[in-house]
Amino acid sequence: MPIRVLAAVIQRNQRFLLCRRPQHKRHGGLWEFPGGTVKDGESDLEAARRELAEELGVQVTAVGPVELSVQDLGSDFVIEFLPVTIEGEPRCLEHEALVWEEEGKLPGYDLAPGDGRYVEVRLDRGPAPG
């Protein structure tokens, strides 16, 4: 049975938040959109609020619809990328580093495989309307 993982696409001032995964975790040292596992019975908003409070110390105010689902090869994880709006300044509570980066420069990062696929698809189709 697939395990849903929420990946928060957070944008501020035309820049996107990327976080570098801890070395001891799967895809350690690679960059990702922050997030985590969605627990049984949990909505995307509830999962985003819990995960981003734990990882970044921020408050989630809104979650949009899933933009892309990617199977993480070699695992049971299905990563679902969706826009998330936050309040507060992100801090590295679990990650090694974080950066706000322009969309066109995202491919220059050593991204986790699913995150790299999301960036490819996003740049191919352009930003979502709105």
Side-chain angles (χ1 to χ4, degrees), residues 17-89:
L17 181 64
L18 288 180
C19 300
R20 191 166 56 218
R21 291 184 59 77
Q23 292 294 331
H24 68 278
K25 292 200 171 183
R26 181 173 173 78
H27 303 309
L30 300 180
W31 292 87
E32 70 174 356
F33 293 92
T37 305
V38 179
K39 295 180 179 179
D40 286 341
E42 196 173 43
S43 71
D44 289 347
L45 179 60
E46 290 166 337
R49 283 182 170 156
R50 178 181 49 76
E51 286 288 349
L52 299 183
E54 290 172 7
E55 292 184 4
L56 301 170
V58 296
Q59 298 79 44
V60 171
T61 59
V63 171
V66 173
E67 295 179 343
L68 183 70
S69 293
V70 177
Q71 174 68 49
D72 183 44
L73 297 178
S75 80
D76 291 333
F77 298 118
V78 174
I79 306 166
E80 298 198 322
F81 295 85
L82 43 93
V84 173
T85 305
I86 63 168
E87 287 182 354
E89 197 55 42

